[in-house]
Amino acid sequence: MREVDMIISKGRILLLDDNDSIIKDGSIAIDGDSIAAVGESVDIESQYTGRRKIDASGCLVMPGLINCHTHAAMTCFRGIADDMELMDWLNNYIFPAEAKNVDPDLAYWGSLLACAEMIKSVTTTFCDMYIFEDETARAAKEAGIRCLLGEVLFDFPSPNVKTPSEGLEYTRMLIEKWADDPLVNILVEPHALYTCSPTLLKDAKALADQYNVPVATHLLENRGEQEQLQKLFGVKATHFLKDIGYLDERFFAFHCVCMDDEDIKIFADHGCKVVHNPESNMKLASGVAPISSMIKRGVVVGLGTDGCASNNNLDMLQEMDTAAKLEKVERLDPTVMSARTVIRMATCNGAKVLGMENHVGSLKASMKADIIILDLNKPHLTPLYNEYSHLAYAVNGSDVDTAIINGTVVMENRKLTTIDENEAMAQVRKIAERIKKSLEE
Amino acid sequence: MREVDMIISKGRILLLDDNDSIIKDGSIAIDGDSIAAVGESVDIESQYTGRRKIDASGCLVMPGLINCHTHAAMTCFRGIADDMELMDWLNNYIFPAEAKNVDPDLAYWGSLLACAEMIKSVTTTFCDMYIFEDETARAAKEAGIRCLLGEVLFDFPSPNVKTPSEGLEYTRMLIEKWADDPLVNILVEPHALYTCSPTLLKDAKALADQYNVPVATHLLENRGEQEQLQKLFGVKATHFLKDIGYLDERFFAFHCVCMDDEDIKIFADHGCKVVHNPESNMKLASGVAPISSMIKRGVVVGLGTDGCASNNNLDMLQEMDTAAKLEKVERLDPTVMSARTVIRMATCNGAKVLGMENHVGSLKASMKADIIILDLNKPHLTPLYNEYSHLAYAVNGSDVDTAIINGTVVMENRKLTTIDENEAMAQVRKIAERIKKSLEE
């Protein structure tokens, strides 16, 4: 018998491997930050004893969800302005509110609140773009949640940096500072092709290549952007990206609503990945990304909520439900975007988008122990014919009881073990008072 | 000081009146089944004392939600078949499973489980169409939830009735049996124009007119149905309905996805109402109903989840979120279908659809006390800039703590006071085993 730190026992386990294996009575041995073994309960429990044991009978056990696109600190702006034209929303609410209010304090507390919300709705890894990302890294580290973070880069000054080169230097600092961290990973994130000069874009790519980290950006979010870029470059955005050497396996893009077949082929040919943000694309009336075509062509697609000002929550389970339903109604085909497809987008394929597929997104020995446990004993989850169906179409963010990240129990019986959520809420409420005042001025 | 049964004190109260009034520090006096008074806390608490007091500080208080279209007992088929062509889904799964399994036992336990789920996700009134509706009435009565129910009518035999006239007689029995019930109301529900002969349709309308109850049916759910009806009648479905005398203020229709401007005008001119079912329409790839055009033309629109086989939950809060976002992306206009609009669809306008607007759907003295209390002290509901925004875009079904229907507390701290939910779940699991076996035969 080998003694390990923890055993999750007698759960219904979704491995999210290539065969969509489900172990009806399974257990997982966890040692340190990793999975030592996963298998039938009889096998695991005859080979391992756990210093701690979590009884998962009657529960669904699976990899934690991966939110591939957030602006975490924007929890501070949740619901500040809805139901508006994009440019009205941005120019009269979001941009002024950010310019006047974003500082390290907001970035830290807004991110910590986001971490609390994400863990409570089963996300265990997130990919973030915002300002003062060192504060987001600090919050994530404290919360014990895995992340891939980048400082937003653009041509104009931000509350954090005055020039594009300061932005690049700040990103370099992040890369070096967090290089060996078990939870925090850094990428390079130019905001978009319409907010970054070609020089900044190329410098950003060079920095990413130097450190072998990913690059990600907003791309072709709506028709207006598509037309703007065509005018700006005289060629299609994907051609422009190809010409400046952006397209490789370390590049992924958010939204990609306005991609045609040729754009998709270019992405597929170069191994570029896409992050789908259906709720934000709907709320801002951006359009519907051609996700089933992308998947058919072999593009790996992950799922993200986007920030709280355009969603307005970070609930990946609702996002899966919406992703499946939106694609069906848009294509007038109920067979596209199955429950299985959206669940893989939110787990193993999300991990591939972030370049983390060897660590997270599925359950097997040697992977990091990022695991969630959902209680199925609830009216809205009864009866159970099919686990994938429940996850995609019936579960909500409040159904998770226990979350383990990197071998640490970060939530148990819905209580966070790493964060004082009341303090985080109180601090964000104070920040919101300041934001409200600033908009009245 | 007047003594009343209950006071809900110091909440943030949304009245859902014509002015969208919000009382920031409000209280509600409840006596018997009705609201005695609602107003500022200082005023209410100087005039009333309550035998019972519910502290709602830090909470949102509002009318319970109205789910205008369900097939409650279909909780028993939740997730049995997803991601399929409509006819494959109906003919190879739903219809055979129903024919072999629906009996009074399934109707009762499936409905009771649905009532548990609905109360736990803030619905206090639902409108149901299914088989053995007397069992659904019994379940709803026990659960203490308000409802408007009708036995499904069509030309072919059902597990309950062998002929259309038996179906009409069963409906007449329901109308007379439940005539004076405080919670259960009955309507007449022909299934659809393609499943009911003109004779059955006319007989159903005559029955409804005799007792002055509403008539409701599935209508123009998808393109296929629209074409089928055009062939069948040689005229548009709305013209046919007009010709057979269906169109009046007591008529409402579910789905109405394929309505053009003329259809909408006909509905508006006759005071007919529409129930929007966005999640079901998306999941079955039926299409997007032209809801903002309907509202602009003056058609009253309510919201419904449809049954659990095509959603797969009964969560009206998710339905509101989806209704708003779907319309925005379909019209490529973020200003349509605001948070306010979808919340009114799920409350006061839903009440108008069901002909219950003098009793439920908004909060004022003399209305029935159907009230829900949501705890806002949660990470995903922080900070609070706008109550309507949170309700439409951030809240989920599990955020409600307390639900009061007809003056009775039916849920407190998420615990149901009227239903043994564990027994309901156990019974439905047993029924599901039977269903699984029947499909293997």
Side-chain angles (χ1 to χ4, degrees):
Chain A
M1 291 288 269
R2 180 178 154 198
E3 196 185 58
V4 293
D5 287 327
M6 202 185 314
I7 288 183
I8 300 171
S9 72
K10 298 195 187 306
R12 192 183 282 261
I13 304 181
L14 272 57
L15 297 185
L16 273 301
D17 57 5
D18 290 340
N19 307 318
D20 296 311
S21 308
I22 298 176
I23 306 174
K24 297 279 175 187
D25 178 359
S27 295
I28 305 175
I30 298 170
D31 207 35
D33 59 6
S34 300
I35 296 172
V38 51
E40 299 287 341
S41 291
V42 283
D43 297 333
I44 297 297
E45 298 191 21
S46 66
Q47 294 169 55
Y48 296 88
T49 60
R51 278 179 282 277
R52 176 170 180 184
K53 201 159 173 178
I54 295 178
D55 180 8
S57 44
C59 296
L60 204 63
V61 180
M62 63 178 290
L65 303 187
I66 297 175
N67 189 340
C68 286
H69 184 42
T70 60
H71 308 286
M74 291 188 82
T75 51
C76 295
F77 303 106
R78 186 199 311 273
I80 198 169
D82 304 296
D83 308 324
M84 288 180 184
E85 292 290 350
L86 182 64
M87 286 303 140
D88 182 16
W89 180 74
L90 275 174
N91 294 325
N92 298 322
Y93 290 85
I94 301 301
F95 287 161
E98 287 187 338
K100 287 176 183 170
N101 293 289
V102 176
D103 60 12
D105 187 57
L106 181 148
Y108 172 75
W109 288 111
S111 296
L112 195 70
L113 185 72
C115 292
E117 178 181 353
M118 285 191 278
I119 294 171
K120 293 191 100 170
S121 58
V122 311
T123 291
T124 57
T125 296
F126 70 105
C127 176
D128 200 62
M129 175 199 279
Y130 206 56
I131 307 157
F132 297 108
E133 279 288 320
D134 197 38
E135 297 297 323
T136 303
R138 185 160 72 91
K141 175 96 180 155
E142 279 179 34
I145 188 170
R146 198 178 301 281
C147 57
L148 177 64
L149 313 173
E151 183 76 6
V152 62
L153 303 173
F154 35 51
D155 292 338
F156 31 93
S158 88
N160 186 20
V161 295
K162 289 195 203 70
T163 64
S165 32
E166 274 185 42
L168 290 164
E169 280 318 300
Y170 186 85
T171 302
R172 182 190 303 277
M173 178 278 289
L174 290 176
I175 295 172
E176 295 187 346
K177 175 173 175 180
W178 296 97
D180 299 314
D181 196 84
L183 290 172
V184 177
N185 304 276
I186 304 296
L187 83 168
V188 180
E189 287 193 303
H191 173 261
L193 302 192
Y194 58 93
T195 46
C196 297
S197 70
T199 306
L200 173 54
L201 288 169
K202 286 181 214 165
D203 290 348
K205 177 63 178 154
L207 180 67
D209 287 346
Q210 187 190 339
Y211 289 95
N212 198 32
V213 300
V215 180
T217 192
H218 295 98
L219 185 66
L220 296 169
E221 185 167 350
N222 57 37
R223 197 62 59 190
E225 179 190 336
Q226 187 185 33
E227 289 165 5
Q228 186 187 354
L229 295 181
Q230 177 70 37
K231 256 189 220 160
L232 198 63
F233 304 134
V235 295
K236 288 170 77 176
T238 47
H239 290 198
F240 170 78
L241 283 169
K242 191 177 163 190
D243 293 344
I244 63 167
Y246 253 62
L247 301 186
D248 60 29
E249 298 195 339
R250 273 190 287 104
F251 178 68
F252 58 97
F254 311 120
H255 301 289
C256 301
V257 168
C258 297
M259 274 198 167
D260 62 21
D261 283 348
E262 195 217 1
D263 296 321
I264 294 172
K265 187 172 181 314
I266 290 172
F267 258 50
D269 288 347
H270 291 83
C272 305
K273 284 100 176 174
V274 164
V275 177
H276 185 32
N277 306 105
E279 297 207 357
S280 170
N281 295 343
M282 292 170 85
K283 185 155 182 274
L284 295 173
S286 303
V288 182
I291 299 298
S292 41
S293 299
M294 292 176 186
I295 293 173
K296 202 183 280 174
R297 292 274 194 166
V299 177
V300 176
V301 180
L303 196 63
T305 57
D306 207 349
C308 273
S310 63
N311 187 314
N312 297 347
N313 60 39
L314 302 170
D315 186 338
M316 282 289 287
L317 288 162
Q318 274 186 43
E319 204 74 30
M320 293 197 303
D321 180 284
T322 303
K325 287 173 178 160
L326 177 63
E327 190 76 6
K328 291 173 197 301
V329 78
E330 176 73 10
R331 313 295 157 213
L332 291 179
D333 180 354
T335 68
V336 297
M337 212 72 139
S338 65
R340 172 186 180 271
T341 303
V342 294
I343 292 164
R344 294 181 75 84
M345 282 169 60
T347 53
C348 50
N349 288 344
K352 283 182 195 158
V353 169
L354 306 186
M356 293 183 171
E357 68 271 28
N358 295 326
H359 305 297
V360 297
S362 58
L363 300 182
K364 65 175 180 183
S366 88
M367 301 281 278
K368 299 295 177 197
D370 288 15
I371 300 167
I372 57 176
I373 304 176
L374 291 109
D375 180 7
L376 295 173
N377 190 38
K378 294 184 178 174
H380 70 285
L381 303 179
T382 302
L384 174 67
Y385 292 102
N386 181 301
E387 296 81 0
Y388 280 75
S389 168
H390 268 22
L391 275 171
Y393 301 123
V395 160
N396 75 50
S398 303
D399 293 319
V400 74
D401 296 294
T402 302
I404 295 164
I405 303 176
N406 213 44
T408 300
V409 178
V410 294
M411 179 171 68
E412 201 171 2
N413 297 323
R414 291 203 66 68
K415 205 173 150 33
L416 300 177
T417 64
T418 49
I419 307 177
D420 180 344
E421 66 179 86
N422 286 321
E423 193 193 359
M425 288 192 285
Q427 293 285 352
V428 168
R429 285 192 191 107
K430 260 204 283 190
I431 291 165
E433 287 308 314
R434 160 155 67 92
I435 292 170
K436 272 184 225 171
K437 261 195 204 149
S438 79
L439 288 178
E440 285 157 11
E441 274 161 14
Chain B
M1 293 286 270
R2 180 178 155 200
E3 196 185 57
V4 293
D5 288 325
M6 203 187 314
I7 288 183
I8 299 171
S9 73
K10 298 195 185 308
R12 191 182 283 262
I13 303 181
L14 272 59
L15 297 184
L16 273 302
D17 58 4
D18 290 340
N19 307 317
D20 296 310
S21 308
I22 298 176
I23 306 174
K24 298 278 179 190
D25 178 359
S27 295
I28 305 175
I30 298 170
D31 208 33
D33 60 5
S34 299
I35 296 171
V38 51
E40 300 285 343
S41 290
V42 282
D43 297 334
I44 297 297
E45 296 188 23
S46 67
Q47 295 170 56
Y48 296 89
T49 60
R51 279 178 282 277
R52 177 171 178 182
K53 202 162 173 176
I54 295 178
D55 180 9
S57 46
C59 295
L60 205 64
V61 180
M62 65 179 290
L65 303 187
I66 298 174
N67 189 341
C68 286
H69 184 42
T70 60
H71 309 286
M74 288 188 84
T75 51
C76 295
F77 302 105
R78 186 200 310 273
I80 197 170
D82 305 296
D83 309 325
M84 286 178 187
E85 292 290 353
L86 182 62
M87 286 304 140
D88 182 16
W89 179 74
L90 276 175
N91 293 325
N92 298 321
Y93 291 86
I94 301 302
F95 286 160
E98 286 186 340
K100 289 176 183 171
N101 293 289
V102 176
D103 60 13
D105 187 59
L106 181 148
Y108 172 75
W109 288 110
S111 296
L112 195 69
L113 186 71
C115 292
E117 178 182 353
M118 285 192 278
I119 294 171
K120 293 192 100 169
S121 57
V122 311
T123 291
T124 57
T125 296
F126 70 104
C127 176
D128 201 62
M129 174 200 281
Y130 206 57
I131 307 156
F132 298 108
E133 281 288 319
D134 198 37
E135 297 297 322
T136 304
R138 186 161 71 91
K141 176 94 178 158
E142 279 178 36
I145 188 169
R146 197 178 302 280
C147 56
L148 178 63
L149 312 175
E151 183 77 4
V152 62
L153 303 173
F154 35 52
D155 292 337
F156 31 94
S158 87
N160 186 21
V161 296
K162 287 194 204 71
T163 63
S165 28
E166 274 185 42
L168 290 164
E169 279 320 298
Y170 186 86
T171 304
R172 183 191 303 276
M173 177 279 289
L174 290 176
I175 294 172
E176 294 187 347
K177 175 173 176 181
W178 296 98
D180 298 314
D181 196 84
L183 290 173
V184 177
N185 304 277
I186 305 295
L187 82 168
V188 180
E189 288 192 302
H191 174 260
L193 302 193
Y194 58 92
T195 47
C196 297
S197 69
T199 306
L200 174 53
L201 288 169
K202 286 180 213 164
D203 290 348
K205 177 65 177 152
L207 180 66
D209 287 347
Q210 188 189 340
Y211 290 94
N212 199 31
V213 300
V215 180
T217 192
H218 296 98
L219 186 65
L220 296 169
E221 185 167 348
N222 57 39
R223 196 64 58 192
E225 178 190 337
Q226 187 185 33
E227 289 164 5
Q228 185 187 354
L229 295 180
Q230 177 71 37
K231 256 188 219 161
L232 198 63
F233 304 134
V235 295
K236 289 170 76 177
T238 48
H239 291 200
F240 169 78
L241 283 169
K242 192 177 163 190
D243 292 345
I244 64 167
Y246 253 62
L247 302 185
D248 61 29
E249 297 195 340
R250 272 190 289 104
F251 177 68
F252 59 96
F254 311 121
H255 301 288
C256 301
V257 168
C258 298
M259 275 198 167
D260 63 21
D261 284 350
E262 195 217 0
D263 296 321
I264 295 171
K265 188 173 181 313
I266 290 172
F267 259 50
D269 288 347
H270 291 83
C272 305
K273 283 98 176 177
V274 166
V275 177
H276 185 32
N277 306 104
E279 296 207 357
S280 171
N281 296 342
M282 293 170 85
K283 184 152 180 276
L284 295 174
S286 304
V288 182
I291 299 298
S292 41
S293 298
M294 293 177 185
I295 294 173
K296 202 183 280 175
R297 292 274 193 165
V299 176
V300 176
V301 181
L303 195 63
T305 57
D306 207 348
C308 273
S310 64
N311 186 314
N312 297 352
N313 59 42
L314 302 170
D315 185 340
M316 283 289 288
L317 288 162
Q318 274 186 42
E319 204 74 28
M320 294 198 303
D321 180 284
T322 302
K325 287 174 178 161
L326 177 63
E327 190 76 6
K328 291 173 196 301
V329 77
E330 177 73 9
R331 314 293 159 215
L332 290 179
D333 180 354
T335 68
V336 298
M337 211 72 139
S338 65
R340 171 185 181 272
T341 302
V342 294
I343 292 164
R344 293 180 77 84
M345 281 169 60
T347 54
C348 50
N349 288 344
K352 282 182 196 159
V353 169
L354 305 187
M356 293 183 169
E357 68 271 28
N358 295 327
H359 306 297
V360 296
S362 57
L363 300 182
K364 65 175 180 184
S366 89
M367 300 282 276
K368 298 296 176 196
D370 289 13
I371 299 167
I372 57 176
I373 305 178
L374 291 109
D375 180 8
L376 295 172
N377 190 38
K378 295 186 178 172
H380 69 284
L381 303 178
T382 303
L384 174 67
Y385 292 101
N386 181 302
E387 295 81 0
Y388 280 75
S389 168
H390 268 22
L391 274 172
Y393 300 123
V395 161
N396 75 51
S398 303
D399 293 320
V400 73
D401 296 295
T402 301
I404 296 163
I405 304 176
N406 213 45
T408 300
V409 177
V410 293
M411 178 172 66
E412 200 171 4
N413 297 322
R414 291 203 66 65
K415 207 176 148 29
L416 300 175
T417 64
T418 50
I419 307 177
D420 180 344
E421 65 179 88
N422 285 321
E423 194 193 358
M425 288 191 283
Q427 294 285 351
V428 169
R429 285 193 193 107
K430 259 203 282 187
I431 291 165
E433 287 307 314
R434 161 157 64 95
I435 293 170
K436 272 184 228 172
K437 262 197 203 147
S438 80
L439 288 179
E440 284 157 11
E441 276 160 15

